[in-house]
Amino acid sequence: MERNQDIKIQRPTGRKLLLLVPFALCCACFVVLGDWQGSVDYSNAQNMGRLVLWAAGSFAVLFAAGFLTENWLALIALMPSGVRAFYDKVFPPRKPQRGRWWIWLAFFLFCLLCYLPYFLMYYPTWFNNDAVWQMEQALGMAAKSNHHPYFHTLIIKVFLTVGYGLFRDYTAAVALYTFFQMALTAAVFGFYLYLLYQRGTRILWLVLAVFFYALLPINGMYSICMGKDAWFTAAFLLFIWAVHHCGAAQATGGRRWIWFFATGLLVCLLRSNGIFVFLGTAVLLILSQLFAGRKAGAESSGHREDGLRRFFSGQERQRMYASVAAVLVSYLLWQGPVLHALQVQPPDTIESLTMPVQHLLCAYARGGNLKPEEVEMLEAVVPLSQIDEYYNPYLFDMTKNYIREHGDQQVIADNRGAYAKLWLNVGLRNPMLYLEGEIRQTAGYYALHIPHEQILYSEYFMVENPFGIENERKVFSYDASIAMGQFLQWFQTLYNRVWSLGMNTWLLLFALACTLYRGRRAIAFAPCVMLLGSLLLATPVYNEFRYAYGVFVALPVLFSVGVGEEAL
């Protein structure tokens, strides 16, 4: 099929160029700030020069990418007939496909089949300490806590109750939970592959997406690790899809808002930072729809009513507000009366104070300007004379655990206003040390190179547990399990050499910049941006892969939104 040679090249407008500026500045800051230790060897003028050069280079790359993706077909049409014929043969034009349920089923079964060897090799699951604690709560062996979302603990309890009732064995009960979690992961990834197929993604890119979701060891291992990460990621991906379709004003009907409510509530209940992801996304969704509605109202005539104007005629707008309100009310009811009735303890005070504590300790440890009474207030919480034993600028877990064992976090709980004022006053006198503390605690999420390797699969072992559960290989031999372990270690080493969490962020911003440059709906990116934003505000570990796993697995579809020939 010949390409349409009448397609005109779209010239860049001032608005499009202006849209790329914040992305270029963001990339420049990521480079300079992510290399904080290297940056201190340069003068302020040199660092400003680096920022300018990186911003200019990033702008040039983003402009080239946006221009090429927008005008690719027009540029191909200008090529000699032989080149066009070759391109049409290698990359034939694709049209949206009619989706059928068995296509999704095929993707789902293929993903499940690819994950099955991990399940059989490491049967019944991979435990970590968090999962052991949640299982103890589910079995009544430990006090109930919302430190890890208790909603997920209840999910564990349901499968343990059903599994033990069927098999009279906790190993089999855990295996039942793990298999369902694996199937859930495969079903959601299969759904995303189905979306790519339905929009007419070329076979080469679809094959690469299948490889990404089905064959990457990361996904196989996360599907069997007993923890909240797989559940949250599944809800997060479905929430992205729901947000994208709710942002399509030409579509109407209440079903999409029901999906928005269900997936949004799950995001809130399955991760402590989920409420921030939902709130930020909801605000952006409302603002984007209001802006689009006003623009459509200004451009359309009084005799023509398009989808956007119908959206703001009343009913669809009410559904949007009602869905957002329903999620917030349900979440507050769960966090308050429901958890109180279930006698679930809230997380302790220090758990949510990662950044303020790291800022203050950085200012003190680096010789910042603190008054004697301010040092005394810090000393009341944690012994400063032993700061070398617990302070780690990259990992807050060591500090908070030390405070729990040897400090007094109740002082903060009883004097919240005073300690908030302490943080603000010290920060005003030591802004650069606060910036240093912030960067060291978060750099892994935007720097391309970090000083420590990431652990992709949580831990490579089943931790000791009071249930007597151990790994029991099914089908595979001992030698096969050794080979699998070596392969997983090799892949993790390879990942740390060629990839990083920072790369995820860079690719996300690249796809978002292309989307905005081309004038496409970008609301699908909002949950990922909010997830990263919440990590920059409160991450306890500076390069924990599982915290940003949702961004990683959303990249194929987000690139389809921003870089694909047709809008999703």
Side-chain angles (χ1 to χ4, degrees):
M1 180 183 296
E2 288 289 332
R3 304 279 174 180
N4 185 357
Q5 300 186 45
D6 296 328
I7 301 177
K8 295 182 180 180
I9 293 179
Q10 301 294 319
R11 296 181 179 180
T13 63
R15 176 181 173 276
K16 291 182 177 181
L17 296 178
L18 188 62
L19 282 172
L20 299 180
V21 171
F23 290 95
L25 293 175
C26 192
C27 292
C29 290
F30 285 169
V31 172
V32 176
L33 297 181
D35 184 29
W36 177 263
Q37 290 178 322
S39 299
V40 297
D41 296 330
Y42 298 95
S43 66
N44 290 336
Q46 288 174 319
N47 278 319
M48 287 302 298
R50 295 171 67 202
L51 278 170
V52 171
L53 290 176
W54 272 103
S58 300
F59 182 88
V61 171
L62 291 173
F63 169 69
F67 182 81
L68 288 175
T69 53
E70 185 176 44
N71 296 288
W72 185 253
L73 295 181
L75 293 173
I76 292 296
L78 296 176
M79 296 292 180
S81 58
V83 176
R84 295 200 308 272
F86 175 79
Y87 183 84
D88 286 337
K89 184 176 182 180
V90 177
F91 300 108
R94 298 284 294 173
K95 295 182 179 180
Q97 304 292 324
R98 182 180 179 184
R100 299 181 183 276
W101 67 268
W102 58 266
I103 297 174
W104 166 80
L105 181 63
F107 286 134
F108 159 64
L109 292 176
F110 183 73
C111 289
L112 186 63
L113 183 65
C114 291
Y115 304 156
L116 193 59
Y118 298 98
F119 175 68
L120 297 176
M121 186 77 73
Y122 297 103
Y123 180 95
T125 191
W126 261 9
F127 263 137
N128 57 29
N129 289 317
D130 293 346
V132 171
W133 185 24
Q134 287 184 272
M135 189 169 170
E136 288 176 338
Q137 294 177 53
L139 296 178
M141 300 170 59
K144 301 174 183 177
S145 172
N146 201 36
H147 178 94
H148 300 291
Y150 192 70
F151 183 79
H152 178 250
T153 302
L154 286 180
I155 294 175
I156 294 176
K157 184 174 183 178
V158 168
F159 281 95
L160 292 179
T161 302
V162 174
Y164 190 80
L166 291 174
F167 307 111
R168 296 297 170 182
D169 179 67
Y170 281 124
T171 299
V174 170
L176 178 65
Y177 166 89
T178 305
F179 185 84
F180 186 88
Q181 177 180 278
M182 182 176 63
L184 174 66
T185 301
V188 174
F189 288 168
F191 175 71
Y192 260 49
L193 291 170
Y194 171 77
L195 290 180
L196 292 175
Y197 165 82
Q198 194 177 39
R199 73 177 298 273
T201 302
R202 289 197 183 98
I203 187 65
L204 174 62
W205 309 121
L206 187 59
V207 169
L208 290 176
V210 170
F211 175 88
F212 179 90
Y213 285 118
L215 299 179
L216 275 187
I218 294 174
N219 298 324
M221 288 312 307
Y222 270 89
S223 74
I224 68 164
C225 286
M226 190 173 183
K228 59 183 177 293
D229 302 300
W231 288 82
F232 173 78
T233 299
F236 182 75
L237 293 179
L238 293 177
F239 181 59
I240 291 175
W241 168 77
V243 168
H244 180 73
H245 281 272
C246 286
Q250 67 273 16
T252 58
R255 183 178 299 179
R256 59 178 180 157
W257 295 109
I258 294 175
W259 275 108
F260 177 83
F261 164 77
T263 57
L265 183 59
L266 286 174
V267 164
C268 293
L269 297 181
L270 287 169
R271 208 62 172 276
S272 56
N273 62 337
I275 183 62
F276 301 104
V277 174
F278 175 79
L279 275 176
T281 302
V283 169
L284 290 179
L285 176 63
I286 292 172
L287 291 177
S288 66
Q289 297 293 64
L290 288 173
F291 176 78
R294 289 177 181 176
K295 182 179 178 181
E299 293 178 352
S300 60
S301 65
H303 303 286
R304 182 171 58 89
E305 184 178 63
D306 58 13
L308 286 171
R309 295 193 68 184
R310 286 199 305 273
F311 180 89
F312 287 96
S313 62
Q315 189 176 33
E316 287 297 306
R317 181 174 53 188
Q318 292 171 5
R319 287 171 176 169
M320 177 177 65
Y321 293 146
S323 298
V324 172
V327 172
L328 295 179
V329 170
S330 300
Y331 174 77
L332 292 175
L333 288 174
W334 171 262
Q335 289 293 105
V338 175
L339 290 184
H340 180 74
L342 294 174
Q343 298 181 333
V344 178
Q345 300 174 357
D348 57 7
T349 302
I350 201 63
E351 179 66 27
S352 59
L353 296 178
T354 298
M355 290 310 174
V357 175
Q358 289 293 71
H359 293 160
L360 288 166
L361 290 180
C362 180
Y364 175 81
R366 298 280 287 159
N369 182 10
L370 278 77
K371 297 178 180 179
E373 59 270 22
E374 293 170 341
V375 174
E376 186 178 346
M377 290 183 68
L378 290 177
E379 185 72 35
V381 177
V382 61
L384 296 179
S385 58
Q386 285 84 43
I387 191 171
D388 292 338
E389 297 182 20
Y390 59 81
Y391 174 60
N392 185 321
Y394 304 103
L395 176 64
F396 184 62
D397 286 347
M398 296 175 62
T399 301
K400 69 182 180 184
N401 289 333
Y402 193 91
I403 291 175
R404 287 166 178 158
E405 296 176 8
H406 305 286
D408 188 1
Q409 57 179 311
Q410 189 60 37
V411 175
I412 302 177
D414 295 338
N415 303 275
R416 295 179 184 273
Y419 276 89
K421 186 178 179 181
L422 168 69
W423 171 78
L424 178 61
N425 290 336
V426 174
L428 291 175
R429 293 195 303 274
N430 303 273
M432 295 307 295
L433 291 178
Y434 268 35
L435 178 61
E436 178 181 342
E438 179 74 24
I439 292 169
R440 292 182 186 275
Q441 185 63 38
T442 60
Y445 298 101
Y446 50 82
L448 295 180
H449 302 287
I450 53 177
H452 308 99
E453 290 190 347
Q454 296 180 73
I455 299 176
L456 299 187
Y457 319 111
S458 184
E459 300 292 345
Y460 279 104
F461 52 83
M462 171 176 278
V463 298
E464 294 184 5
N465 59 85
F467 320 113
I469 297 176
E470 298 180 350
N471 284 131
E472 303 173 7
R473 292 184 307 278
K474 304 295 182 181
V475 179
F476 296 98
S477 66
Y478 176 78
D479 289 339
S481 66
I482 294 295
M484 175 65 83
Q486 292 174 344
F487 167 72
L488 292 175
Q489 291 281 9
W490 169 84
F491 182 84
Q492 177 167 272
T493 302
L494 176 66
Y495 177 93
N496 283 308
R497 289 177 179 173
V498 303
W499 205 266
S500 67
L501 281 178
M503 182 69 75
N504 295 344
T505 302
W506 281 65
L507 290 176
L508 173 68
L509 294 179
F510 176 86
L512 177 56
C514 289
T515 303
L516 294 174
Y517 182 92
R518 304 175 71 180
R520 292 183 173 179
R521 288 183 292 114
I523 193 62
F525 291 82
C528 291
V529 173
M530 292 301 150
L531 177 60
L532 289 172
S534 69
L535 293 176
L536 297 184
L537 292 174
T539 177
V541 187
Y542 93 113
N543 67 334
E544 185 71 23
F545 179 84
R546 64 190 179 93
Y547 291 159
Y549 180 50
V551 175
F552 178 76
V553 292
L555 286 176
V557 169
L558 295 182
F559 259 76
S560 180
V561 172
V563 182
E565 290 183 8
E566 301 294 336
L568 184 63

